[in-house]
Amino acid sequence: MKPLFARVYRVEPVLQAIVAPAEIAPWPDYRAIFVNPRRIEGGIAFWTAQEALLARAEREYGVPAEIIVAIIGVETFYGRIPGRWRVVEALATLAFDYPPRANFFRGELENYLLLARDSGLDVFSVRGSYAGAIGLPQFMPGSLRRYAVDFDGDGAIDLSRNTADAIGSVANFLKQHGWRPGEAVQRREGIPDQDAGERAIDLGTEQRIGLANFQVLMRYNRSPLYAAAVADLSEVLKKNRGQSPIFLERR
């Protein structure tokens, strides 16, 4: 058998994607990618289909259902766009051919190989994002190993095909990073309260106040635009749940 890395190839589109992520778009354009009628309708359908699991996750981890749904919606359109790159090749490409974050991606490549070994996975069988993120919630391998949970108790963790595990894992990730149950994510006016750990968020075309839970969302993805998009989508999902599609927000 050929050594593993003799079968791994550099993927040029991965390098192109990492230097031009969606987060460089202006805020109104970025928001429109994720907060639009299709994403809202899909989120309400996902919430309805997974209501019991989402309610259980909210009880056990303190994370609102709408936040969990919004993260999965932003990450993979509720599982419809999980990524098409072989994870081992995406990570190897970035680990060895992207100097700005080579150390990070080498660590993630190591975590992926350990994950494959411990789970009995074929290293070449898993596909994900251009950055090597996996499954409905797009966990990097290190996060998958640390925070993913077997939420349905079937003895295995599968974020790619098991919606229960995806829901529980998102909730656990946020809880472990300091999610504050019952607290808001953001404010759209006022000034930050430094004693409360709030911070001003500059989205380019508008200013917001990021509360403690906003900072937790940025542990999932360090872009303020990402956290604001998740927060906005979650608000719209909660507001529109139970409404006829013709009444969904079309901002």
Side-chain angles (χ1 to χ4, degrees):
M1 179 182 292
K2 294 173 65 176
L4 186 150
F5 282 102
R7 300 164 57 198
V8 173
Y9 298 94
R10 168 177 164 140
V11 184
E12 289 297 333
V14 163
L15 293 172
Q16 295 167 12
I18 202 73
V19 299
E23 286 85 354
I24 66 173
W27 165 241
D29 296 339
Y30 182 84
R31 184 186 190 276
I33 296 171
F34 303 110
V35 187
N36 58 58
R38 289 187 66 229
R39 199 84 54 153
I40 297 166
E41 291 168 13
I44 291 171
F46 182 87
W47 192 342
T48 300
Q50 308 300 334
E51 184 171 12
L53 287 170
L54 288 160
R56 180 182 150 217
E58 186 165 349
R59 288 194 306 272
E60 294 185 11
Y61 297 102
V63 180
E66 63 268 20
I67 291 289
I68 300 171
V69 176
I71 285 178
I72 295 175
V74 168
E75 291 291 347
T76 61
F77 204 158
Y78 316 106
R80 298 180 199 178
I81 312 173
R84 62 191 182 92
W85 307 105
R86 290 204 296 189
V87 167
V88 67
E89 289 186 332
L91 291 174
T93 297
L94 296 170
F96 301 117
D97 294 301
Y98 184 59
R101 299 190 68 196
N103 288 339
F104 170 77
F105 284 109
R106 285 173 189 165
E108 292 299 333
L109 177 59
E110 178 182 5
N111 272 303
Y112 177 67
L113 295 176
L114 291 171
L115 174 69
R117 181 198 67 186
D118 296 343
S119 304
L121 291 172
D122 175 356
V123 169
F124 294 93
S125 68
V126 181
R127 293 183 181 268
S129 75
Y130 65 82
I134 298 169
L136 277 75
Q138 294 289 273
F139 271 25
M140 294 300 291
S143 290
L144 200 159
R145 295 184 71 216
R146 286 189 289 273
Y147 304 113
V149 297
D150 175 14
F151 199 53
D152 65 352
D154 68 353
I157 296 174
D158 181 358
L159 300 189
S160 295
R161 294 175 294 272
N162 190 315
T163 304
D165 290 355
I167 288 170
S169 296
V170 170
N172 184 54
F173 179 99
L174 296 178
K175 178 182 178 180
Q176 296 302 323
H177 284 90
W179 185 268
R180 298 185 183 182
E183 295 191 11
V185 173
Q186 60 184 358
R187 287 192 281 111
R188 290 179 169 80
E189 58 185 18
I191 59 175
D193 180 348
Q194 298 301 325
D195 291 335
E198 300 175 5
R199 58 176 281 196
I201 305 297
D202 183 1
L203 300 176
T205 57
E206 66 177 282
Q207 305 287 320
R208 297 189 184 177
I209 307 302
L211 310 182
N213 284 336
F214 193 98
Q215 315 306 318
V216 175
L217 291 179
M218 288 184 63
R219 298 297 300 273
Y220 208 104
N221 181 313
R222 61 187 181 179
S223 166
L225 273 67
Y226 173 89
V230 168
D232 282 12
L233 180 57
S234 72
E235 291 171 2
V236 176
L237 288 171
K238 185 176 182 179
K239 174 183 175 183
N240 287 282
R241 189 165 181 245
Q243 297 293 318
S244 169
I246 63 172
F247 295 114
L248 295 180
E249 176 182 296
R250 279 169 162 77
R251 168 180 167 181

